[in-house]
């Protein structure tokens, strides 16, 4: 009650509040950096430079951004239907299998742009398939999707290690990974795009999947706000009883929403598997699925917000890696703490400052 | 020196964007009186009360309580100034006991045990003083609505309220519960409390208020001593024209049976039989009214017919075709439209914009978009037409539905279902929370549906509404049909049946 019900203009809800949350997260991170005896302003400068300083840095930042857009969209789509999909991590992992199988099958015969659409479909299908069982259990048996998708993350990890170690491994090699794809199974880098801005990409793995991610943003927007299915998903997500009244079938809508969510998570694999390393490796998802939860929360489940939030986390990932390299006192774990703080303030505590902002707004607008 | 009035509002002004909800409102409420506030849907009554209770801040104007000007920033300030509010949608924790709910947020210290003992004593005292009897250890969700409302009143009094605001308190009550509420309010007044009562039922205004103020389109247009005014005058002040307080309709021309219910039994989620072996027919061109005290199975019956709840046994036939167990989407295709009792949980998605709700349940219709996409232009145009035809205010299809006043929300649902031109219409509480002008309008629409040879099934706890609209009446009690009557049956006779005494 009290201030929670007071309406605020959009520019405050979607502009001032997120920025404020972000500033506080940075401020506390600054305190942490200061407490271990480093200069927080220096650290911030290194972080920004590391993420945006040169063409190569930007290339890495955008590479991470791409992965986070996919997983952020994945979480958002399920969320609109009232489902909390914690399983993007596992769905992306299995999606990699779909992408790799297509690449391995076609790279000898056709150029990349022929492989690409099949790889997109393969990754999406495998990701969706991994989401299907939790979806079915939720729809038909009422097993909570949060629990089942977490369990499926573990199963995915075990399954993929098994497959890579026992099935896909190149005979005679130690590393549990597939053979390297030929160019016909790789997604080319976007160095021409960087060149347009007068920058050099260098070895950074920024690739065509970024464009696929942006296309998916548009398609998700179309799905959620312009399609009949999206309308049904939103109705179900906001008011399950109104959905019953409107004759919106619960099971079907839940399952489809989860399949789309899983499909989007699966497509994330295109970026590291076909765009960067050109082979399927263990643990290539590296937490991007979980970052997707934060990205979706911060981006308010809107594709545009997700792009911004994904970019922010891209900066934190890339800049953070650089920072821990330049300031050995700030370890990799430290960076994880800082990312955690951003998630905490921007996602979980998003309403913490609202009452105060409401007061200030009321005072300033003379009410 | 005369005592200060309990409440003085001076020049209160409030806008929501383009909507000017309160315009320069002045209001004086004497201490120890019951003051009624009436007005059309969207006139700004709830907004004014929300300002007094600190939900909204006025853009301009002054609030004086007991002569002292105060700024009410939020509900805490309101409570500290002795203002309590009973919301139409109760703000109770369903699985807490009465005592726990009353204490919530006013526990008095870190240790619960001490507070509990104190609260129990205080509750006893309030009960004795005002006749507000509820078992302190009862669980909220097991209490009937009337008692839940009493808990809301107790909550306010426990926090030391001297002024009590009730926004449409009787909309959800049975007549007996409403009578009981009024007895409580009178006791409260006689003990010196001040009461502000919003209602659409002029009968209630005449029965218990001392003074009544009328709002129209954001303005306070008149204040009268209740003893010196009449229902007709109030109605005219509210709407700005004369209102027909009776339904005009000709003879029904019933045709063939369209909707037929045979030996229908429905159990609720706990396995309790709510509808027990019910049978009836509705013909085209007639309105069949189901009378009964709320909670006697009418809601479950409607939900079963609408496909929302699976019947346990029995048959439902549309045009002779069995339809029991079909889903609501399929039933809509067969020409069944449903105005649900509970607009907030079923009929509307409150977070949607108005136009999105104007197609709820019909969103798959090709006229709102071929293929997979919605044709938003077509939907908005359609919504605008309904808004114009049903005088939904404000006339903005892009406004969030939650921001429409209660009565206008109801009109959104009614417009959607009637404008589909269905073959059968089943209606639960069509005019709950709707102003008299709009009641007249909705009633006329329902009669028009009948005259267009549609089959209409009407459930209402308002006996007046049932009697003035129906061509035939059946009475439900404890899940069974206990009798059938014609609309000219006396109120007494119907009342006896509704109480299960026949
Ligand atoms: N938060 C809001 N944002 C925008 N408009 C609002 C908001 N709250 C109320 N309104 C508008 O202000 C006007 C007054 O609404 P209010 O709820 O006070 O009416 P009311 O007199 O209580 O009507 P009813 O009898 O139907 O409950 C309406 O036009 C309504 O749509
Ligand atoms: Mg109201």
């Amino acid at each position: 009650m009290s201030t929670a019900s007071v309406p605020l203009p959009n520019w405050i809800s979607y502009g001032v509040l997120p920025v404020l949350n972000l500033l506080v997260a940075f401020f506390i991170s600054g305190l942490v950096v200061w407490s271990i005896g480093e200069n927080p302003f220096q650290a911030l400068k290194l972080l920004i430079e590391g993420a945006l300083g040169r063409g190569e840095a930007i290339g890495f930042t955008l590479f991470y951004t791409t992965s986070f857009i996919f997983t952020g969209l994945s979480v958002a789509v399920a969320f609109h239907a009232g489902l909390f999909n914690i399983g993007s991590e596992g769905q992306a992992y299995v999606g990699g299998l779909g992408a790799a199988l297509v690449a391995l099958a076609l790279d000898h015969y056709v150029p990349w742009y022929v492989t690409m659409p099949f790889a997109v479909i393969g990754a999406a299908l495998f990701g969706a398939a991994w989401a299907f069982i939790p979806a079915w259990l939720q729809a038909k048996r009422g097993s909570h999707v949060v629990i089942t998708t977490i369990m499926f993350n573990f199963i995915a990890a075990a399954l993929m290690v098994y497959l890579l170690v026992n099935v896909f491994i190149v005979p005679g090699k130690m590393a549990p990974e597939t053979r390297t794809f030929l160019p016909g199974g790789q997604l080319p880098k976007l160095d021409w795009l960087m060149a347009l801005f007068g920058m050099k990409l260098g070895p950074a793995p920024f690739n065509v999947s970024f464009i696929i991610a942006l296309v998916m943003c548009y398609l998700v927007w179309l799905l959620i706000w312009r399609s009949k299915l999206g309308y049904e998903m939103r109705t179900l997500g906001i008011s399950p009883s109104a959905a019953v009244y409107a004759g919106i079938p619960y099971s079907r809508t839940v399952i489809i929403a989860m399949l789309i969510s899983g499909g989007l998570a699966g497509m994330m694999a295109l970026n590291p598997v076909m765009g960067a390393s050109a082979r399927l490796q263990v643990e290539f998802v590296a937490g991007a699925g979980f970052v997707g939860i934060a990205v979706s929360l911060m981006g308010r489940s809107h594709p545009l917000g997700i792009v911004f939030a994904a970019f922010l986390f891209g900066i934190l990932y890339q800049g953070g890696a650089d920072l821990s390299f330049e300031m050995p006192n700030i370890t990799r774990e430290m960076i994880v703490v800082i990312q955690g703080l951003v998630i905490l303030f921007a996602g979980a505590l998003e309403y913490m400052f609202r009452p105060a902002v409401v007061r200030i707004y009321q005072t300033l607008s003379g009410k | 020196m005369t005592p200060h009035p309990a409440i003085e509002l001076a020049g209160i002004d409030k806008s929501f964007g383009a909507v000017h909800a309160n315009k320069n409102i002045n209001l004086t409420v004497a201490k120890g009186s019951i003051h009624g506030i009436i007005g059309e849907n969207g006139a700004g009554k709830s907004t004014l009360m929300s300002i007094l209770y600190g939900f909204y801040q006025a853009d301009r104007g002054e609030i004086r309580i007991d002569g002292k000007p105060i700024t009410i920033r939020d509900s805490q300030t309101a409570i500290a100034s002795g203002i309590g509010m009973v919301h139409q949608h109760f703000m109770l924790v369903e699985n807490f006991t009465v005592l726990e709910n009353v204490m919530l947020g006013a526990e008095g210290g870190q240790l619960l045990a001490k507070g509990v003992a104190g609260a129990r004593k205080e509750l006893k005292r309030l009960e004795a003083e005002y006749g507000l009897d509820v078992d302190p250890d009862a669980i909220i969700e097991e209490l009937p609505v009337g008692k839940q409302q009493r808990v809301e009143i107790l909550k306010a009094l426990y926090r030391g309220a001297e002024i009590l605001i009730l926004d449409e308190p009787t909309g959800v009550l049975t007549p007996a519960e409403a009578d009981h509420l009024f007895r409580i309010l009178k006791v409260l007044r006689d003990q010196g409390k001040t009461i502000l009562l919003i209602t659409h039922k002029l009968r209630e205004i005449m029965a218990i208020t001392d003074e009544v103020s009328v709002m129209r389109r954001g303005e306070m247009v008149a204040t009268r001593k209740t003893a010196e005014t009449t229902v007709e005058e109030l109605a005219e002040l509210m709407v700005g024209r004369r209102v027909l307080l009776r339904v005009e309709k000709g003879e029904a021309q019933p045709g063939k049976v369209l909707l037929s219910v045979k030996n229908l039994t429905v159990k609720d989620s706990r396995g309790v039989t709510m509808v027990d072996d019910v049978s009836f027919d509705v013909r085209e061109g007639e309105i069949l009214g189901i009378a009964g005290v709320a909670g006697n199975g009418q809601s479950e019956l409607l939900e079963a017919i609408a496909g929302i709840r699976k019947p346990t046994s029995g048959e439902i036939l549309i045009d002779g075709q069995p339809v029991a167990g079909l889903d609501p989407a399929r039933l809509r295709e067969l020409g069944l439209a449903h105005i649900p009792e509970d607009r907030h949980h079923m009929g509307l998605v409150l977070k949607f914009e108005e136009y999105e709700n104007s197609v709820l349940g019909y969103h798959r219709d090709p006229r709102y978009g071929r293929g997979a996409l919605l044709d938003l232009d077509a939907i908005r145009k359609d919504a605008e037409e309904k808004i114009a035809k049903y005088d939904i205010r404000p006339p903005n299809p892009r406004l969030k539905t939650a921001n429409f006043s209660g009565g206008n929300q109801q009109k959104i649902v009614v417009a959607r279902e009637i404008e589909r031109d269905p073959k059968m219409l089943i209606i639960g509480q069509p005019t709950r929370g709707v102003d008299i002008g709009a009641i007249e309008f909705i009633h006329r629409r329902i009669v028009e549906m009948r005259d267009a040879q549609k089959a209409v099934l009407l459930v209402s706890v308002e006996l007046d509404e049932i009697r003035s609209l129906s061509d035939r009446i059946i009475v439900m009690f404890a899940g069974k049909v206990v009798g059938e009557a014609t609309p000219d049956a006396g109120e007494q006779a119907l009342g006896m049946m509704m109480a299960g005494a026949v």
Side-chain angles (χ1 to χ4, degrees), chain B residues 179-397:
Chain B
D179 285 345
H180 196 136
L181 172 68
F182 291 154
R183 280 203 297 281
I184 293 169
L185 293 185
K186 281 183 179 156
V187 175
L188 286 171
R189 173 191 59 191
D190 296 342
Q191 307 268 358
K193 309 268 180 202
T194 308
I195 291 161
L196 269 170
L197 174 73
I198 298 182
T199 177
H200 286 293
K201 298 177 189 161
L202 297 178
R203 215 163 0 103
E204 297 174 351
I205 291 287
M206 301 309 287
I208 78 153
T209 62
D210 300 305
E211 278 196 307
V212 51
S213 296
V214 185
M215 290 187 73
R216 188 160 81 222
R217 302 199 177 207
E219 284 171 282
M220 194 59 91
V221 292
T223 296
R224 295 276 186 277
K225 289 225 176 321
T226 310
E228 294 165 8
T229 184
T230 61
V231 169
E232 286 75 19
E233 187 197 17
L234 290 178
E236 199 172 332
L237 279 169
M238 250 167 85
V239 187
R241 64 176 165 86
R242 291 198 56 116
V243 184
L244 211 58
L245 294 166
R246 288 210 54 80
V247 182
E248 276 187 339
K249 66 179 189 358
E251 275 294 304
Q253 310 282 332
K256 66 174 188 342
V257 173
L258 250 189
L259 176 69
S260 180
V261 170
K262 292 206 170 92
N263 307 102
L264 194 73
T265 297
V266 184
K267 294 196 166 127
D268 73 1
S269 46
R270 290 166 299 170
V272 181
T273 303
M274 298 305 289
V275 179
D276 193 358
D277 196 24
V278 165
S279 302
F280 59 83
D281 290 332
V282 193
R283 294 171 178 277
E284 52 183 29
E286 75 166 351
I287 300 174
L288 176 66
I290 300 184
V293 175
N296 277 288
Q298 305 97 309
S299 312
E300 289 77 9
L301 175 64
L302 277 194
E303 288 179 7
I305 299 175
I308 291 168
R309 198 181 274 274
K310 293 258 175 301
T312 327
S313 64
E315 273 189 292
I316 304 168
L317 306 169
I318 288 181
D319 245 346
Q321 187 191 345
V323 297
L326 292 189
D327 68 273
R330 186 78 193 90
L331 289 166
R332 279 193 181 85
E333 284 166 21
L334 291 172
L336 182 84
H338 175 205
I339 298 172
E341 287 184 325
D342 185 340
R343 59 176 171 255
H344 281 175
H345 291 108
M346 287 215 173
L348 296 168
V349 181
L350 289 177
K351 285 190 183 167
F352 275 2
E353 291 177 13
E354 194 275 344
Y355 76 93
E356 294 178 288
N357 271 311
S358 76
V359 295
L360 185 69
Y362 302 103
H363 52 277
R364 291 254 168 214
D365 191 297
R367 86 174 78 165
Y368 302 129
R370 305 196 166 275
L373 294 188
L374 291 166
D375 181 351
L376 292 196
D377 289 336
I379 297 175
R380 288 189 193 137
K381 207 169 136 263
D382 192 78
E384 271 163 20
E385 281 164 16
K386 287 175 193 155
I387 285 173
K389 188 159 176 189
Y390 285 76
D391 189 23
I392 295 166
R393 288 182 226 165
N396 176 6

Side-chain angles (χ1 to χ4, degrees), chain B residues 148-169:
Chain B
Q148 293 191 12
Q149 190 174 54
R150 252 173 258 170
V151 178
E152 284 280 12
I153 298 177
L154 278 170
K155 250 171 74 182
L157 294 176
Y158 182 73
R159 285 161 177 70
E162 286 299 315
I163 297 168
L164 207 56
I165 306 170
L166 296 110
D167 193 347
E168 296 187 37

